[in-house]
Amino acid sequence: MKASTIWDKRWVRCLTAAAFWLAVWQGISLTLPDLLFAGPVQTVQSLLSMIAESDFWLSIAHSLGKIAVGFLLAFALGCLLAALANRFPFVRILMEPAVQIMKSVPVACFVVVALIWIRSAWISVLTAFFVVFPAVYINLDEGLRSVDPKMLEMARLFRLTAGKTLRAVYLPSAMPYLLSACRVSVGMALKAGVAGEIIGLPRWSIGEQLYLSKLYLNTADLFAWSFVIIVLSMALEKLLVRFAETMRRKWEGAS
């Protein structure tokens, strides 16, 4: 009974799973040369040495800043066009081909073409926008279309203002879809932005550091940077979702 109670704790399960995969990682590293597959110890050592360098933080700051610009632009435009599509059906018809293309075209193919038009320094902005916009637009459009018509009729009956109708009717229906879009798109933006940087090789970027690690067969650095990307993705997702939840509670409290 006691063992069962301990096992029911989430942190115990997480630690057990982490220990298992670390053991698998270490086991694989023992069967392969360090040149081809670095183990957890070498990866941690590499990460600690990188953290002490200014280039590490500069690369993260540059990449995150540009990816954030692409994400925010895509989020704002996606919300605007989804709202317009909900109000004017012809907007949805016009947007359908563009959204389908953005969903279907591989990121690498898009990056190669985009580098013809823009400098490599801005490729992560455009790449992040390219992958985030469809997710935000589709999810929010679906959320707005799921609004109960009877609730809208009630809002008209009580002569609610546009702001109160937004907070009391549209927001509760659309917010779960918007949160889902945030959870999916923030990780996609980071991965796609870094993928664009690996191809475009802008100066002071995570993608450049990954490419150089691969070029010099430094798998410890390669794994360390991959770990940094995973941690950043998880942290940004949690921060964004928490911020969205806080804003939702404030808007609903003000209604």
Side-chain angles (χ1 to χ4, degrees):
M1 186 70 179
K2 188 175 180 181
S4 176
T5 304
I6 293 173
W7 183 249
D8 288 339
K9 294 182 182 295
R10 187 172 183 274
W11 67 269
V12 174
R13 298 196 301 271
C14 290
L15 282 177
T16 303
F20 171 78
W21 287 111
L22 280 173
V24 171
W25 182 5
Q26 179 64 27
I28 295 174
S29 69
L30 292 175
T31 64
L32 296 171
D34 291 346
L35 191 66
L36 298 178
F37 196 93
V41 175
Q42 295 93 326
T43 301
V44 170
Q45 289 173 343
S46 177
L47 180 61
L48 292 175
S49 66
M50 289 193 304
I51 287 174
E53 299 174 359
S54 60
D55 288 2
F56 173 82
W57 299 106
L58 196 59
S59 297
I60 290 177
H62 278 199
S63 291
L64 284 186
K66 290 174 181 176
I67 291 170
V69 170
F71 179 91
L72 292 174
L73 287 173
F75 191 86
L77 190 59
C79 289
L80 175 63
L81 289 175
L84 289 174
N86 185 256
R87 181 68 179 83
F88 307 106
F90 74 90
V91 175
R92 184 179 293 112
I93 295 171
L94 292 177
M95 289 301 302
E96 186 66 24
V99 172
Q100 288 299 326
I101 289 171
M102 294 174 82
K103 282 172 55 183
S104 305
V105 174
V107 172
C109 181
F110 170 77
V111 170
V112 171
V113 175
L115 284 171
I116 300 173
W117 308 323
I118 65 170
R119 293 171 52 202
S120 62
W122 298 104
I123 192 63
S124 52
V125 176
L126 192 57
T127 308
F129 179 93
F130 184 79
V131 299
V132 171
F133 176 81
V136 173
Y137 174 83
I138 292 171
N139 276 274
L140 185 55
D141 182 47
E142 189 67 27
L144 292 174
R145 291 168 73 177
S146 69
V147 173
D148 189 349
K150 293 179 181 178
M151 294 295 293
L152 292 173
E153 185 63 30
M154 188 181 297
R156 281 191 290 269
L157 266 171
F158 285 97
R159 296 182 180 179
L160 296 182
T161 63
K164 287 185 176 179
T165 302
L166 174 65
R167 290 192 294 267
V169 179
Y170 285 104
L171 193 62
S173 295
M175 186 54 73
Y177 292 88
L178 206 53
L179 287 175
S180 176
C182 289
R183 289 190 182 97
V184 173
S185 59
V186 68
M188 289 170 54
L190 188 59
K191 289 186 289 186
V194 171
E197 291 173 347
I198 292 173
I199 298 173
L201 295 178
R203 186 71 172 138
W204 307 118
S205 66
I206 295 176
E208 181 194 36
Q209 299 299 329
L210 280 168
Y211 179 81
L212 292 175
S213 300
K214 172 258 180 186
L215 186 66
Y216 297 117
L217 292 177
N218 190 338
T219 53
D221 280 6
L222 189 63
F223 286 6
W225 275 111
S226 300
F227 177 75
V228 168
I229 294 170
I230 293 169
V231 171
L232 287 174
S233 180
M234 293 171 62
L236 289 173
E237 178 186 331
K238 289 185 180 298
L239 286 172
L240 186 61
V241 170
R242 182 169 294 183
F243 173 76
E245 295 263 9
T246 302
M247 294 304 297
R248 177 180 63 83
R249 286 193 293 269
K250 285 184 178 180
W251 290 335
E252 289 178 351
S255 59

